[in-house]
Amino acid sequence: MIRRIIQIDEEKCNGCGACAAACHEGAIGMVDGKARLLRDDYCDGLGDCLPACPTGAIAFVEREAAAYDEAAVKANQQKKASLPCGCPGTNIKKIQRNDSVDNQTIEIGSRLSQWPVQIKLAPINAPYFNGANLLIAADCTAYAYGNFHERFIKNHITLIGCPKLDSTDYSEKLTEIIRCNDIKSVTVTRMEVPCCGGIEYAVKSALQQSGKLIPWQVKIISTDGNIKD
């Protein structure tokens, strides 16, 4: 049948995940750091996702699509009832730890070598960027991974941000930092939850827009504090 349904422009999508959170029917999900319409029959065509999108990547189109299936939507909602707002990043769980070493007082020195660390606050032409190995971290990663300073911050210049909660597109600022400085490498740390793909996408866009060929890698941290292969 021909009906009104949403269409997502992947070029405009910054991977923030706001539309997926706003879609109560679960029609939208995050795939490879981009919002995707997962199922036509989950989209009711009312467009709650449109005002949630900060980049205007979502619009209505008239096209051939499966009819809205309210029963299937309700069944899917019941399946996801344990996830507040249907967002994996808000899934509640308790993590059991081995306390055998927790009773010992172990002082570990900070490996942070510069300030500020927030992407929005960092000056574009700060002298510490020249010759730097750059770490761009979703801010939850440092809390989830216990050895974060030694494994990631050591010998790096660190910038942090949250693609879900910060109402900004990091790609423009990161593009200027990479373009205007002699950056040797870029490491991205992000959480495994879909909305965290926004910071990975911002870095990828910044590298492309800078016109530079710089080695870069992405490390994904699970919510229980492990590095995923």
Side-chain angles (χ1 to χ4, degrees), residues 45-74:
L46 298 179
D48 289 345
C49 53
L50 269 70
C53 180
T55 63
I58 305 176
F60 281 124
V61 295
E62 295 278 343
R63 66 169 174 83
E64 182 73 31
Y68 174 61
D69 190 338
E70 185 176 4
V73 168
K74 288 184 177 179

mmCIF file of all heavy atoms in Angstrom, residues 45-74:
data_model
loop_
_atom_site.group_PDB
_atom_site.id
_atom_site.type_symbol
_atom_site.label_atom_id
_atom_site.label_comp_id
_atom_site.label_asym_id
_atom_site.label_seq_id
_atom_site.Cartn_x
_atom_site.Cartn_y
_atom_site.Cartn_z
ATOM 1 N N GLY A 45 3.660 6.629 11.111
ATOM 2 C CA GLY A 45 3.556 7.797 10.239
ATOM 3 C C GLY A 45 3.174 9.080 10.941
ATOM 4 O O GLY A 45 2.862 10.078 10.287
ATOM 5 N N LEU A 46 3.227 9.094 12.280
ATOM 6 C CA LEU A 46 2.864 10.310 13.026
ATOM 7 C C LEU A 46 4.063 11.230 13.234
ATOM 8 O O LEU A 46 3.901 12.422 13.469
ATOM 9 C CB LEU A 46 2.242 9.932 14.374
ATOM 10 C CG LEU A 46 0.939 9.126 14.296
ATOM 11 C CD1 LEU A 46 0.442 8.787 15.694
ATOM 12 C CD2 LEU A 46 -0.115 9.906 13.522
ATOM 13 N N GLY A 47 5.261 10.684 13.198
ATOM 14 C CA GLY A 47 6.458 11.525 13.198
ATOM 15 C C GLY A 47 6.906 12.088 14.518
ATOM 16 O O GLY A 47 7.427 13.204 14.562
ATOM 17 N N ASP A 48 6.757 11.339 15.624
ATOM 18 C CA ASP A 48 7.303 11.808 16.897
ATOM 19 C C ASP A 48 8.815 11.994 16.825
ATOM 20 O O ASP A 48 9.402 12.758 17.596
ATOM 21 C CB ASP A 48 6.981 10.807 18.017
ATOM 22 C CG ASP A 48 5.513 10.811 18.400
ATOM 23 O OD1 ASP A 48 4.814 11.767 18.007
ATOM 24 O OD2 ASP A 48 5.059 9.864 19.074
ATOM 25 N N CYS A 49 9.447 11.280 15.896
ATOM 26 C CA CYS A 49 10.902 11.341 15.763
ATOM 27 C C CYS A 49 11.391 12.627 15.095
ATOM 28 O O CYS A 49 12.546 13.025 15.279
ATOM 29 C CB CYS A 49 11.397 10.144 14.964
ATOM 30 S SG CYS A 49 10.564 9.954 13.360
ATOM 31 N N LEU A 50 10.533 13.273 14.300
ATOM 32 C CA LEU A 50 10.987 14.437 13.528
ATOM 33 C C LEU A 50 11.521 15.568 14.395
ATOM 34 O O LEU A 50 12.639 16.044 14.181
ATOM 35 C CB LEU A 50 9.869 14.950 12.607
ATOM 36 C CG LEU A 50 9.843 14.352 11.192
ATOM 37 C CD1 LEU A 50 9.412 12.888 11.237
ATOM 38 C CD2 LEU A 50 8.910 15.128 10.286
ATOM 39 N N PRO A 51 10.767 16.048 15.403
ATOM 40 C CA PRO A 51 11.281 17.158 16.209
ATOM 41 C C PRO A 51 12.469 16.764 17.082
ATOM 42 O O PRO A 51 13.205 17.642 17.554
ATOM 43 C CB PRO A 51 10.080 17.560 17.067
ATOM 44 C CG PRO A 51 9.196 16.365 17.099
ATOM 45 C CD PRO A 51 9.383 15.694 15.774
ATOM 46 N N ALA A 52 12.677 15.450 17.296
ATOM 47 C CA ALA A 52 13.799 15.006 18.126
ATOM 48 C C ALA A 52 15.126 15.094 17.388
ATOM 49 O O ALA A 52 16.184 15.167 18.009
ATOM 50 C CB ALA A 52 13.569 13.575 18.604
ATOM 51 N N CYS A 53 15.082 15.085 16.048
ATOM 52 C CA CYS A 53 16.316 15.073 15.254
ATOM 53 C C CYS A 53 16.951 16.460 15.196
ATOM 54 O O CYS A 53 16.339 17.401 14.694
ATOM 55 C CB CYS A 53 16.025 14.584 13.837
ATOM 56 S SG CYS A 53 17.510 14.535 12.787
ATOM 57 N N PRO A 54 18.203 16.611 15.680
ATOM 58 C CA PRO A 54 18.847 17.932 15.700
ATOM 59 C C PRO A 54 19.402 18.374 14.352
ATOM 60 O O PRO A 54 19.751 19.533 14.178
ATOM 61 C CB PRO A 54 19.985 17.739 16.712
ATOM 62 C CG PRO A 54 20.340 16.302 16.591
ATOM 63 C CD PRO A 54 19.049 15.577 16.313
ATOM 64 N N THR A 55 19.493 17.446 13.380
ATOM 65 C CA THR A 55 20.113 17.793 12.097
ATOM 66 C C THR A 55 19.125 17.822 10.937
ATOM 67 O O THR A 55 19.533 18.045 9.801
ATOM 68 C CB THR A 55 21.233 16.784 11.759
ATOM 69 O OG1 THR A 55 20.661 15.478 11.594
ATOM 70 C CG2 THR A 55 22.282 16.737 12.860
ATOM 71 N N GLY A 56 17.839 17.578 11.213
ATOM 72 C CA GLY A 56 16.851 17.577 10.146
ATOM 73 C C GLY A 56 17.013 16.432 9.176
ATOM 74 O O GLY A 56 16.706 16.557 7.985
ATOM 75 N N ALA A 57 17.471 15.282 9.687
ATOM 76 C CA ALA A 57 17.743 14.139 8.813
ATOM 77 C C ALA A 57 16.496 13.308 8.504
ATOM 78 O O ALA A 57 16.549 12.407 7.675
ATOM 79 C CB ALA A 57 18.804 13.239 9.454
ATOM 80 N N ILE A 58 15.364 13.608 9.168
ATOM 81 C CA ILE A 58 14.160 12.795 9.002
ATOM 82 C C ILE A 58 13.058 13.607 8.318
ATOM 83 O O ILE A 58 12.825 14.766 8.669
ATOM 84 C CB ILE A 58 13.653 12.270 10.358
ATOM 85 C CG1 ILE A 58 14.771 11.505 11.082
ATOM 86 C CG2 ILE A 58 12.446 11.354 10.176
ATOM 87 C CD1 ILE A 58 14.391 11.037 12.465
ATOM 88 N N ALA A 59 12.401 13.001 7.364
ATOM 89 C CA ALA A 59 11.302 13.653 6.650
ATOM 90 C C ALA A 59 10.233 12.609 6.322
ATOM 91 O O ALA A 59 10.479 11.400 6.400
ATOM 92 C CB ALA A 59 11.807 14.300 5.368
ATOM 93 N N PHE A 60 9.040 13.084 5.968
ATOM 94 C CA PHE A 60 7.972 12.189 5.518
ATOM 95 C C PHE A 60 8.062 11.994 4.009
ATOM 96 O O PHE A 60 8.399 12.924 3.271
ATOM 97 C CB PHE A 60 6.601 12.783 5.845
ATOM 98 C CG PHE A 60 6.188 12.614 7.280
ATOM 99 C CD1 PHE A 60 5.858 13.717 8.051
ATOM 100 C CD2 PHE A 60 6.099 11.356 7.857
ATOM 101 C CE1 PHE A 60 5.459 13.573 9.361
ATOM 102 C CE2 PHE A 60 5.702 11.204 9.172
ATOM 103 C CZ PHE A 60 5.375 12.313 9.930
ATOM 104 N N VAL A 61 7.765 10.780 3.565
ATOM 105 C CA VAL A 61 7.615 10.502 2.138
ATOM 106 C C VAL A 61 6.367 9.652 1.936
ATOM 107 O O VAL A 61 5.884 9.007 2.866
ATOM 108 C CB VAL A 61 8.848 9.764 1.556
ATOM 109 C CG1 VAL A 61 10.082 10.628 1.615
ATOM 110 C CG2 VAL A 61 9.075 8.438 2.276
ATOM 111 N N GLU A 62 5.832 9.688 0.742
ATOM 112 C CA GLU A 62 4.731 8.808 0.362
ATOM 113 C C GLU A 62 5.318 7.701 -0.504
ATOM 114 O O GLU A 62 5.894 7.965 -1.568
ATOM 115 C CB GLU A 62 3.672 9.580 -0.426
ATOM 116 C CG GLU A 62 2.960 10.661 0.359
ATOM 117 C CD GLU A 62 1.819 10.103 1.206
ATOM 118 O OE1 GLU A 62 1.390 8.957 0.935
ATOM 119 O OE2 GLU A 62 1.372 10.802 2.130
ATOM 120 N N ARG A 63 5.233 6.451 -0.042
ATOM 121 C CA ARG A 63 5.798 5.349 -0.817
ATOM 122 C C ARG A 63 5.086 4.042 -0.472
ATOM 123 O O ARG A 63 4.302 3.968 0.474
ATOM 124 C CB ARG A 63 7.298 5.220 -0.562
ATOM 125 C CG ARG A 63 7.684 4.805 0.843
ATOM 126 C CD ARG A 63 9.169 4.443 0.893
ATOM 127 N NE ARG A 63 9.661 4.165 2.218
ATOM 128 C CZ ARG A 63 9.547 2.988 2.852
ATOM 129 N NH1 ARG A 63 8.897 1.970 2.273
ATOM 130 N NH2 ARG A 63 10.062 2.820 4.062
ATOM 131 N N GLU A 64 5.411 3.025 -1.243
ATOM 132 C CA GLU A 64 4.912 1.685 -0.973
ATOM 133 C C GLU A 64 5.513 1.186 0.343
ATOM 134 O O GLU A 64 6.737 1.176 0.528
ATOM 135 C CB GLU A 64 5.297 0.734 -2.108
ATOM 136 C CG GLU A 64 4.782 -0.676 -1.956
ATOM 137 C CD GLU A 64 3.286 -0.798 -2.199
ATOM 138 O OE1 GLU A 64 2.755 -0.010 -3.014
ATOM 139 O OE2 GLU A 64 2.647 -1.677 -1.579
ATOM 140 N N ALA A 65 4.672 0.803 1.283
ATOM 141 C CA ALA A 65 5.145 0.339 2.584
ATOM 142 C C ALA A 65 4.106 -0.586 3.198
ATOM 143 O O ALA A 65 2.909 -0.471 2.921
ATOM 144 C CB ALA A 65 5.411 1.526 3.519
ATOM 145 N N ALA A 66 4.583 -1.482 4.045
ATOM 146 C CA ALA A 66 3.668 -2.361 4.768
ATOM 147 C C ALA A 66 2.782 -1.533 5.688
ATOM 148 O O ALA A 66 3.194 -0.490 6.197
ATOM 149 C CB ALA A 66 4.463 -3.376 5.579
ATOM 150 N N ALA A 67 1.564 -1.986 5.896
ATOM 151 C CA ALA A 67 0.637 -1.283 6.777
ATOM 152 C C ALA A 67 1.146 -1.298 8.212
ATOM 153 O O ALA A 67 1.851 -2.219 8.631
ATOM 154 C CB ALA A 67 -0.744 -1.935 6.710
ATOM 155 N N TYR A 68 0.808 -0.246 8.956
ATOM 156 C CA TYR A 68 1.182 -0.176 10.363
ATOM 157 C C TYR A 68 0.537 -1.339 11.116
ATOM 158 O O TYR A 68 -0.677 -1.557 11.038
ATOM 159 C CB TYR A 68 0.733 1.159 10.954
ATOM 160 C CG TYR A 68 0.934 1.277 12.444
ATOM 161 C CD1 TYR A 68 2.209 1.183 13.009
ATOM 162 C CD2 TYR A 68 -0.150 1.486 13.298
ATOM 163 C CE1 TYR A 68 2.391 1.298 14.377
ATOM 164 C CE2 TYR A 68 0.031 1.608 14.669
ATOM 165 C CZ TYR A 68 1.299 1.509 15.198
ATOM 166 O OH TYR A 68 1.478 1.625 16.557
ATOM 167 N N ASP A 69 1.343 -2.113 11.861
ATOM 168 C CA ASP A 69 0.871 -3.304 12.571
ATOM 169 C C ASP A 69 0.912 -3.033 14.070
ATOM 170 O O ASP A 69 1.923 -3.260 14.735
ATOM 171 C CB ASP A 69 1.758 -4.499 12.210
ATOM 172 C CG ASP A 69 1.202 -5.819 12.719
ATOM 173 O OD1 ASP A 69 0.400 -5.799 13.675
ATOM 174 O OD2 ASP A 69 1.581 -6.877 12.176
ATOM 175 N N GLU A 70 -0.204 -2.554 14.604
ATOM 176 C CA GLU A 70 -0.249 -2.180 16.016
ATOM 177 C C GLU A 70 -0.003 -3.374 16.931
ATOM 178 O O GLU A 70 0.666 -3.258 17.969
ATOM 179 C CB GLU A 70 -1.597 -1.541 16.348
ATOM 180 C CG GLU A 70 -1.683 -1.009 17.767
ATOM 181 C CD GLU A 70 -2.988 -0.288 18.043
ATOM 182 O OE1 GLU A 70 -3.856 -0.257 17.155
ATOM 183 O OE2 GLU A 70 -3.136 0.247 19.166
ATOM 184 N N ALA A 71 -0.531 -4.534 16.558
ATOM 185 C CA ALA A 71 -0.350 -5.735 17.387
ATOM 186 C C ALA A 71 1.126 -6.118 17.485
ATOM 187 O O ALA A 71 1.626 -6.466 18.561
ATOM 188 C CB ALA A 71 -1.161 -6.893 16.817
ATOM 189 N N ALA A 72 1.836 -6.047 16.351
ATOM 190 C CA ALA A 72 3.261 -6.376 16.344
ATOM 191 C C ALA A 72 4.053 -5.376 17.171
ATOM 192 O O ALA A 72 5.006 -5.733 17.868
ATOM 193 C CB ALA A 72 3.783 -6.411 14.907
ATOM 194 N N VAL A 73 3.654 -4.102 17.098
ATOM 195 C CA VAL A 73 4.321 -3.057 17.875
ATOM 196 C C VAL A 73 4.158 -3.312 19.369
ATOM 197 O O VAL A 73 5.112 -3.232 20.148
ATOM 198 C CB VAL A 73 3.778 -1.670 17.495
ATOM 199 C CG1 VAL A 73 4.247 -0.612 18.494
ATOM 200 C CG2 VAL A 73 4.230 -1.287 16.094
ATOM 201 N N LYS A 74 2.941 -3.622 19.791
ATOM 202 C CA LYS A 74 2.682 -3.873 21.210
ATOM 203 C C LYS A 74 3.449 -5.094 21.707
ATOM 204 O O LYS A 74 3.974 -5.102 22.828
ATOM 205 C CB LYS A 74 1.189 -4.041 21.444
ATOM 206 C CG LYS A 74 0.409 -2.734 21.337
ATOM 207 C CD LYS A 74 -1.060 -2.929 21.669
ATOM 208 C CE LYS A 74 -1.802 -1.590 21.634
ATOM 209 N NZ LYS A 74 -3.248 -1.750 21.943
#
